[in-house]
Amino acid sequence: MGATTGIGALSLIHCFSKSHTLSFASFRTLPRFTCSFSSSINFNISFAPPKPKPKPKSEPNPDLDLQPDVSSEPDGPLLIPWIVRGEDGNLKLQSEPPPSLLKVIATAQTGTRKDSNQTKTTAATSKPQKIRSTAPPQHSKAARRFYNQNIKEPSGARLSKVLAASGVASRRSCEELIFEGKVTVNGSVCNTPQTRVDPAKDVIYVNGNRLSKRQPQKVYLALNKPKGYICSSGEKESKSVISLFDDFLNTWGKKHPGVPTPRLFTVGRLDVATTGLIIVTNDGDFAQKLSHPSFNLSKEYIATVDGSIYKRHLIAISEGTTIEGVHCVPDAVELLPRQADMQRARIRIVVHEGRKHEVRELVKSAGLEIHSLKRVRIGGFRLPPDLGLGKYIELNTTNLNALGWKS
């Protein structure tokens, strides 16, 4: 029996549990019965006398018409008792049905069940109903202010990152400019590189020059680095790999009017004597992810070695060596077949940590001397064989996916 479920004394009397007994006399002769429970709870319930059956009509009698009809209505209203269980768990008697029952009756669905075939026919022939769009809930000004100050994440990007992306300088150099007080945001000097700014909304000046509202698009380039160039973007470096992109940067203004020239830098490094594949971009997040050791991006090198190579040399390289206190082991070591136009032997070495001079140290630990070293693959992207030294290509979405980058 539910907490507030009502039970009609007559129609639902059989729903009592076996622990409850109900004894009463005939309803026709006795208008009162006693309900007793095993929990020593007694109810005295009174019923109104039954409504008498209508008498057959007879001829009117003048003597009887003068007397009032007192037997047509009962003495009082009809009482229907409801036995419910209260919040304290005890049974109680009340004259009105419980509110929960009235609510269920009021919300009950009524009507005849429609045929499914008829419903499908009606849906096919009827016109589609337009769904009314409801307006978003309106919040007070105080609620919006509290949300913006305490819950909503700040929009925009860090000031140092915005300056570096706009081509002002490297991120570290931009932080130095901010600390020196050479950067203003909306007319005030800003000394915090972590300040969130939006170039499209905020007015930013660097050394008295207004920063453009438009940011340069992300650029991804693959370069076949020649020997003798260093992987540095400093302006004082005469033979930097960035100088190989002068034609690309000089024509940027014609292809993208109104957009500042991007500041290019390399993803990782190759020493001055190593040639081959290197990625150049202006996307700091892309460069950080690809160059971080936790990304486990494999890199393949071809080492041309002086002298003869024996099996013991390959075993020594595969066992690894210690570099800067860390034992580095290559992923793969393979002796490539000799080519007709080359007298020196070549070894294919695959590493993933990318520590400084790792491949050179591996070959040196085996007692061999490298004549030349070339990187031919990063991740799933391989250096195109027809790409000449000092030449570059722009990477498309397929190439970036091969590198493991999903923008």
Side-chain angles (χ1 to χ4, degrees), residues 178-201:
I178 296 172
F179 290 136
E180 294 173 359
K182 297 181 179 180
V183 180
T184 61
V185 179
N186 298 327
S188 302
V189 177
C190 182
N191 300 107
T192 308
Q194 293 80 13
T195 303
R196 295 277 179 171
V197 295
D198 186 357
K201 300 178 181 179

Short mmCIF file of all heavy atoms in Angstrom, two decimals, residues 178-201:
data_model
loop_
_atom_site.label_atom_id
_atom_site.label_comp_id
_atom_site.label_asym_id
_atom_site.label_seq_id
_atom_site.Cartn_x
_atom_site.Cartn_y
_atom_site.Cartn_z
N ILE A 178 57.69 42.72 -23.49
CA ILE A 178 56.60 43.01 -22.56
C ILE A 178 57.15 43.41 -21.19
O ILE A 178 56.67 44.38 -20.58
CB ILE A 178 55.67 41.78 -22.45
CG1 ILE A 178 55.01 41.50 -23.81
CG2 ILE A 178 54.62 41.99 -21.38
CD1 ILE A 178 54.23 40.20 -23.85
N PHE A 179 58.16 42.70 -20.72
CA PHE A 179 58.74 43.03 -19.42
C PHE A 179 59.40 44.41 -19.44
O PHE A 179 59.44 45.10 -18.40
CB PHE A 179 59.77 41.97 -19.01
CG PHE A 179 59.15 40.65 -18.65
CD1 PHE A 179 59.70 39.46 -19.11
CD2 PHE A 179 58.01 40.59 -17.87
CE1 PHE A 179 59.15 38.24 -18.77
CE2 PHE A 179 57.44 39.38 -17.53
CZ PHE A 179 58.00 38.19 -17.98
N GLU A 180 59.93 44.81 -20.58
CA GLU A 180 60.58 46.12 -20.69
C GLU A 180 59.58 47.25 -20.83
O GLU A 180 59.98 48.42 -20.89
CB GLU A 180 61.54 46.12 -21.88
CG GLU A 180 62.74 45.18 -21.70
CD GLU A 180 63.58 45.08 -22.96
OE1 GLU A 180 63.22 45.72 -23.97
OE2 GLU A 180 64.59 44.35 -22.94
N GLY A 181 58.29 46.96 -20.89
CA GLY A 181 57.27 47.99 -20.98
C GLY A 181 57.11 48.59 -22.36
O GLY A 181 56.63 49.73 -22.48
N LYS A 182 57.49 47.86 -23.40
CA LYS A 182 57.39 48.38 -24.76
C LYS A 182 56.11 47.96 -25.47
O LYS A 182 55.95 48.20 -26.66
CB LYS A 182 58.59 47.90 -25.58
CG LYS A 182 59.93 48.41 -25.04
CD LYS A 182 61.08 47.94 -25.89
CE LYS A 182 62.41 48.48 -25.36
NZ LYS A 182 63.57 48.02 -26.18
N VAL A 183 55.19 47.33 -24.73
CA VAL A 183 53.92 46.86 -25.31
C VAL A 183 52.77 47.49 -24.52
O VAL A 183 52.77 47.48 -23.28
CB VAL A 183 53.81 45.32 -25.25
CG1 VAL A 183 52.49 44.86 -25.86
CG2 VAL A 183 54.99 44.68 -25.98
N THR A 184 51.84 48.09 -25.26
CA THR A 184 50.64 48.67 -24.64
C THR A 184 49.41 47.98 -25.18
O THR A 184 49.35 47.63 -26.37
CB THR A 184 50.56 50.18 -24.91
OG1 THR A 184 50.46 50.40 -26.33
CG2 THR A 184 51.77 50.91 -24.37
N VAL A 185 48.42 47.81 -24.31
CA VAL A 185 47.13 47.20 -24.68
C VAL A 185 46.03 48.17 -24.28
O VAL A 185 45.88 48.50 -23.09
CB VAL A 185 46.94 45.84 -23.98
CG1 VAL A 185 45.58 45.24 -24.35
CG2 VAL A 185 48.06 44.88 -24.36
N ASN A 186 45.31 48.65 -25.26
CA ASN A 186 44.21 49.60 -25.05
C ASN A 186 44.67 50.84 -24.29
O ASN A 186 43.99 51.35 -23.39
CB ASN A 186 43.05 48.92 -24.30
CG ASN A 186 42.46 47.76 -25.07
OD1 ASN A 186 42.42 47.77 -26.31
ND2 ASN A 186 42.00 46.74 -24.37
N GLY A 187 45.87 51.32 -24.64
CA GLY A 187 46.39 52.55 -24.07
C GLY A 187 47.14 52.40 -22.77
O GLY A 187 47.68 53.40 -22.27
N SER A 188 47.20 51.19 -22.21
CA SER A 188 47.91 50.98 -20.94
C SER A 188 49.08 50.05 -21.15
O SER A 188 48.99 49.08 -21.93
CB SER A 188 46.96 50.40 -19.89
OG SER A 188 45.86 51.25 -19.67
N VAL A 189 50.18 50.32 -20.47
CA VAL A 189 51.36 49.47 -20.58
C VAL A 189 51.06 48.13 -19.91
O VAL A 189 50.55 48.08 -18.78
CB VAL A 189 52.58 50.14 -19.92
CG1 VAL A 189 53.78 49.21 -19.96
CG2 VAL A 189 52.88 51.46 -20.60
N CYS A 190 51.36 47.05 -20.60
CA CYS A 190 51.11 45.71 -20.09
C CYS A 190 52.45 45.02 -19.85
O CYS A 190 53.27 44.91 -20.76
CB CYS A 190 50.26 44.90 -21.08
SG CYS A 190 49.85 43.26 -20.51
N ASN A 191 52.67 44.56 -18.63
CA ASN A 191 53.92 43.88 -18.26
C ASN A 191 53.73 42.40 -17.98
O ASN A 191 54.62 41.76 -17.44
CB ASN A 191 54.52 44.54 -17.01
CG ASN A 191 54.83 46.01 -17.22
OD1 ASN A 191 54.14 46.88 -16.71
ND2 ASN A 191 55.88 46.29 -17.99
N THR A 192 52.57 41.86 -18.36
CA THR A 192 52.27 40.45 -18.09
C THR A 192 52.10 39.72 -19.41
O THR A 192 51.13 39.97 -20.14
CB THR A 192 50.99 40.32 -17.25
OG1 THR A 192 51.10 41.14 -16.10
CG2 THR A 192 50.77 38.88 -16.84
N PRO A 193 53.01 38.80 -19.74
CA PRO A 193 52.87 38.07 -21.02
C PRO A 193 51.64 37.19 -21.08
O PRO A 193 51.16 36.87 -22.16
CB PRO A 193 54.15 37.23 -21.08
CG PRO A 193 55.11 37.89 -20.15
CD PRO A 193 54.27 38.47 -19.07
N GLN A 194 51.09 36.78 -19.91
CA GLN A 194 49.94 35.88 -19.89
C GLN A 194 48.61 36.61 -20.07
O GLN A 194 47.55 35.97 -20.06
CB GLN A 194 49.90 35.09 -18.58
CG GLN A 194 51.04 34.10 -18.40
CD GLN A 194 52.32 34.75 -17.94
OE1 GLN A 194 52.30 35.91 -17.52
NE2 GLN A 194 53.43 34.03 -18.04
N THR A 195 48.64 37.92 -20.26
CA THR A 195 47.40 38.67 -20.43
C THR A 195 46.67 38.21 -21.68
O THR A 195 47.26 38.08 -22.76
CB THR A 195 47.70 40.17 -20.53
OG1 THR A 195 48.41 40.58 -19.36
CG2 THR A 195 46.42 40.97 -20.66
N ARG A 196 45.36 37.95 -21.52
CA ARG A 196 44.54 37.50 -22.65
C ARG A 196 44.11 38.70 -23.49
O ARG A 196 43.53 39.66 -22.97
CB ARG A 196 43.30 36.75 -22.14
CG ARG A 196 43.63 35.45 -21.43
CD ARG A 196 43.84 34.34 -22.41
NE ARG A 196 44.19 33.08 -21.75
CZ ARG A 196 44.26 31.92 -22.37
NH1 ARG A 196 44.02 31.86 -23.66
NH2 ARG A 196 44.60 30.83 -21.73
N VAL A 197 44.39 38.62 -24.79
CA VAL A 197 44.04 39.70 -25.70
C VAL A 197 43.44 39.11 -26.97
O VAL A 197 43.64 37.94 -27.29
CB VAL A 197 45.27 40.56 -26.06
CG1 VAL A 197 45.81 41.28 -24.84
CG2 VAL A 197 46.36 39.71 -26.70
N ASP A 198 42.69 39.94 -27.65
CA ASP A 198 42.10 39.59 -28.95
C ASP A 198 42.53 40.67 -29.94
O ASP A 198 42.10 41.82 -29.83
CB ASP A 198 40.58 39.52 -28.85
CG ASP A 198 39.94 39.01 -30.13
OD1 ASP A 198 40.67 38.78 -31.11
OD2 ASP A 198 38.71 38.85 -30.15
N PRO A 199 43.38 40.35 -30.91
CA PRO A 199 43.86 41.38 -31.84
C PRO A 199 42.74 42.06 -32.61
O PRO A 199 42.88 43.21 -33.01
CB PRO A 199 44.79 40.60 -32.78
CG PRO A 199 45.15 39.35 -32.04
CD PRO A 199 43.98 39.04 -31.18
N ALA A 200 41.62 41.36 -32.82
CA ALA A 200 40.52 41.96 -33.57
C ALA A 200 39.76 43.00 -32.76
O ALA A 200 39.08 43.86 -33.33
CB ALA A 200 39.56 40.87 -34.05
N LYS A 201 39.85 42.94 -31.42
CA LYS A 201 39.11 43.86 -30.56
C LYS A 201 40.02 44.81 -29.79
O LYS A 201 39.65 45.97 -29.58
CB LYS A 201 38.24 43.07 -29.58
CG LYS A 201 37.22 42.17 -30.25
CD LYS A 201 36.43 41.39 -29.21
CE LYS A 201 35.42 40.46 -29.86
NZ LYS A 201 34.65 39.68 -28.86
#
